[in-house]
Amino acid sequence: MTSVFSTPAPAASPADGGDDAGLAARVSALDLESKVRLLTGGTLWTLPAEPRLGLLPVRMSDGPQGVRGTGDDPGATGLLAPAPSTLAASWDPELAERLGALFGAEAVRKRVDVLLAPGINLQRTPVAGRHFEYLSEDPLLTGILAAGLVRGIQSLGVAACPKHFVANESETDRTRYRSRVDPRTLREVYLAPFETVVAEGGTWSVMSAYSGVDDGTESAPMGEHAGLLRGVLKGEWGFDGAVVSDWAATRTTGESARGGLDLVMPGPDGPWGDALVAAVRAGEVPESMVDDKVVRLVRLAGRVGRLDSSPARPAVPARPDTAEYDLLRETAVRGTVVLRNEAGLLPLAPAGLARVALIGPNAVAPYFQGGGSAYVPPVRLVGFAKGLRAALPPSTEVTVHRGGDARLHPPFADPAMLADPETGGAGVRAEFLGADGAVLGSVVRETGDWGEFRAFPAGTRRVVLRTDVTLTGEGTHELEFGAVGRFEILADGERVAAGDDDRGVDLVLDSSHHHPEGITVGFPVADAEVPRRVALTLDLTVVDADGYGHFVTAHLRHTAPGTGTAEEIEAAVEAARTADVAVVVVGTNEDVESEGWDRTTLALPGAQDELVRRVAEANPRTVVVVNAGAPVLLPWAEDVPALLWAWLPGQEAGHALADVLLGRAEAAGRLPWTLPARAADVPVPDAVPVDGVVEYREGLHVGHRGWDRAGLAPAFPFGHGLGWTEWAYEAVTADADGAEVAVRVTNTGARAGREVVQVYLEAPQDGPDRPLRVLAGFASVTAEPGATVTATIRVPSRVYQVWDVAAGAWTTPAGAYRLHVGRSSRDLRLTAAVEIGAA
């Protein structure tokens, strides 16, 4: 086997794939068909090998709450981190780098070479379905933390793949819409985080978006947008890595090949292959473009150790260890935001707690992670009840009350209810049938969630799922069936549901993929002592999604007869009334926050608002914990003494919450987005395309900038967070060019604490249109009670600049600038003036 490293290349590191000239020469020596074959995935998750280049298969995996894996081992689990917004709430790039290194180690453990993370689109609208997957509404905060994640991931020899380039901030019709963004807004806001991960993170790959961009000079799907991919990303920024398509996003041959895309995923089918070979021979695509794409992919392989003489990647423990669990717990704690803490209710003193009432739908069933491609089967889960019980003295009584169900869909059927009709053992039997009806194989799985299932023999045309469901308990049990495509569902031989939608790939990429619309059927059980057995058959025709592969998807959910919401709330209120403290955990769930669809409301689902009000009336010592990734309305926020935002906290949720509530660690988080008080005040209330276009009408005024421009008061502003102590801001100085700001602060409280010192730039308002203030920099300091410390904040020169559309260049308008320093975007305590002269 010949290696691309066989000729010494003193000017380049072997980890970078050798010297470019030598690598290009080896690539150009391949025949055209062989080169083109390398530009489409070999499978759903892997890239093809090429022995003549010493190229080994490269494996990819979803993120960003961990490393999902490739599905080769259906029983595989992994470390489940808090959602990215939790990390963003830490405002700590060093923590981001440490967490990135954990992801890198987990990828090495799972034999993954490219992690499809972090997600660095902006949280432009609070209803965006993937809001929890992204970091912040602010481009500076997003870029700095994302660069830290990228550096950490790649320190283990694993490529990061920031996504989704670019202006892909919503899910509705995500495979079809185009974002209409003016060139200046695109440069200063939405391209900014990607520029940072290229310049400061050194990312080795980037994923292009499903959606397209119309920037006034070019309007095209993102994978075909030559101005942004070839012109900006590869040209101006000098990005030397690979541009990867989102899965099944590529629909053209010549346009996408010329546009700057390097790799079509998944494979082995797709719009390139023979069609691209023909396009090159017809002169529609220069062969030099094909060569450049292959060079980039081989360079990527070298960086991740997938060339035959690449140096070995660092060794990692074979299984997750305690230190990794501790880092996930620390991330969840550090990201927790104290929104309110009246009369110092928090932290709680364990010695004074004889009885704790833990209440709420999310207290019983925490929402650990968001839905969609980010899902990671967790190695373990520590719920809120488990974490509190472990942390409190054995003498403390902890009672748990749901207070009503907040889910739009019932939970998946308990595996204990499901029996294989062939053997009587646990599970659901799947038989794989060919076009002639012959059985090609079978498999048994325990769960009623068949999600996106594609592990069946070649030639499979139908998948028939069969299980016997045992319903125990008197009353009417409801079974909810969900499937997409063409299907038929039988209960005891009687047809109860059917579908005939053959849209194929659109079923996968749009909302129905992740949450098929449920069809509910009631099954009465007459005698509590005599269970009812129902024989179910789900006959599913395989969806043939061009470019995405063959799959089926099905859900089986169950609702048992039981107490209604009103009765559950009464029981919760009574428990709160007799408790020393009531901890109410409210929030969202997988029916609400997920890839694939945008939310239609910011209200908490179910009767959670009523639950909070009733509990707070019954017990003046009520702590409310919000377990949600994206903003929700909290109409009772000023009526509860203590309020925490705990995000989607990952596998260590319960331990982290106990650490915070009992003061074992400080909840030092700061909001990375603005929390609205009213839905009507939100600057960008939705992102529904009109005639296939999402208009970015707000321009530069995204997030807190839009709130400032409108002069509206949110429930809690961007950057807000209280922690466990108080801080006095005493002095600020800035150097002559405003590149560095020094802020002296004193911890005036009774506890040690961490403060995030934030700097906001106010530009001259007599020049080009600019936001009232923009985040210009930040830094964290820690201090003991009474101690004074100095925070030094670097202000990037780009913060002062604007994009001159006519000149196609960055310029710095002259004038008087003001640097405001404080604890949030609305709590600004000191100001320094900087005079910038004409260039």
Side-chain angles (χ1 to χ4, degrees), residues 397-412:
E397 179 186 359
V398 179
T399 63
V400 182
H401 302 268
R402 186 170 68 168
D405 190 0
R407 295 179 184 274
L408 305 179
H409 294 272
F412 292 114

Side-chain angles (χ1 to χ4, degrees), residues 619-703:
N619 190 332
R621 288 171 54 83
T622 293
V623 179
V624 180
V625 179
V626 184
N627 173 206
V632 292
L633 299 178
L634 309 177
W636 34 259
E638 295 185 2
D639 301 327
V640 298
L643 177 59
L644 303 175
W645 197 284
W647 308 100
L648 309 182
Q651 68 178 50
E652 304 300 310
H655 290 324
L657 181 60
D659 288 345
V660 168
L661 291 177
L662 302 178
R664 295 180 172 184
E666 184 183 29
R670 304 292 187 266
L671 287 178
W673 41 249
T674 306
L675 184 63
R678 303 187 313 151
D681 294 341
V682 174
V684 183
D686 63 57
V688 177
V690 177
D691 297 327
V693 174
V694 175
E695 296 275 5
Y696 282 53
R697 290 188 180 90
E698 74 282 3
L700 303 171
H701 306 280
V702 63

Side-chain angles (χ1 to χ4, degrees), residues 134-426:
Y134 302 139
L135 289 156
S136 169
E137 68 183 22
D138 187 86
L140 181 77
L141 180 59
T142 295
I144 290 173
L145 292 173
L149 279 167
V150 168
R151 289 192 298 269
I153 292 167
Q154 295 185 170
S155 69
L156 274 291
V158 175
C161 189
K163 59 188 183 182
H164 308 84
F165 190 88
V166 61
N168 179 207
E169 275 75 31
S170 53
E171 292 292 278
T172 303
D173 290 337
R174 64 177 179 169
T175 65
R176 291 180 284 271
Y177 73 74
R178 295 192 186 182
S179 299
R180 186 170 289 152
V181 195
D182 70 84
R184 191 176 157 213
T185 296
L186 195 60
R187 289 280 187 162
E188 295 184 27
V189 179
Y190 296 99
L191 283 170
F194 288 95
E195 185 176 13
T196 301
V197 297
V198 171
E200 298 185 18
T203 187
W204 296 338
S205 65
V206 168
M207 179 186 287
S208 64
Y210 283 122
S211 54
V213 168
D214 177 355
D215 60 2
T217 60
E218 183 178 355
S219 178
M222 199 57 245
E224 303 173 13
H225 207 296
L228 292 175
L229 291 180
R230 289 172 52 201
V232 176
L233 177 62
K234 294 181 176 180
E236 292 180 31
W237 298 351
F239 172 65
D240 68 354
V243 178
V244 182
S245 79
D246 208 334
W247 265 231
T250 313
R251 305 294 180 87
T252 63
T253 302
E255 295 90 336
S256 56
R258 292 190 299 270
L261 194 66
D262 297 313
L263 176 67
V264 170
M265 290 299 289
D269 301 319
W272 285 7
D274 292 343
L276 181 54
V277 171
V280 172
R281 289 190 170 138
E284 298 172 9
V285 177
E287 189 166 356
S288 59
M289 283 190 174
V290 172
D291 289 354
D292 177 69
K293 298 176 195 302
V294 177
V295 166
R296 289 172 180 272
L297 292 172
V298 176
R299 183 184 294 126
L300 173 65
R303 286 168 166 166
V304 300
R306 297 302 289 165
L307 295 175
D308 64 0
S309 53
S310 298
R313 293 197 294 198
V316 302
R319 296 180 59 81
D321 60 23
T322 302
E324 291 172 315
Y325 292 161
D326 289 345
L327 179 55
L328 299 181
R329 181 172 178 169
E330 178 188 354
T331 304
V333 169
R334 291 274 304 282
T336 300
V337 181
V338 182
L339 297 175
R340 278 174 63 84
N341 188 22
E342 297 301 302
L345 175 57
L346 293 175
L348 302 170
L353 301 177
R355 173 179 286 186
V356 174
L358 182 60
I359 294 167
N362 290 49
V364 173
Y367 195 26
F368 296 99
Q369 60 178 316
S373 60
Y375 181 83
V376 175
V379 66
R380 76 175 190 179
L381 289 173
V382 181
F384 297 128
K386 182 177 181 180
L388 271 178
R389 285 187 172 117
L392 289 167
S395 59
T396 301
E397 179 186 359
V398 179
T399 63
V400 182
H401 302 268
R402 186 170 68 168
D405 190 0
R407 295 179 184 274
L408 305 179
H409 294 272
F412 292 114
D414 187 336
M417 299 169 56
L418 309 176
D420 174 8
E422 295 291 326
T423 66

Side-chain angles (χ1 to χ4, degrees), residues 420 428-433 439 441-445 450 453 463-466:
D420 174 8
V428 180
R429 175 173 291 272
E431 291 184 332
F432 311 119
L433 279 60
V439 177
S442 65
V443 67
V444 176
R445 292 177 62 183
W450 283 70
F453 183 69
V463 177
V464 179
L465 307 178
R466 292 189 297 132

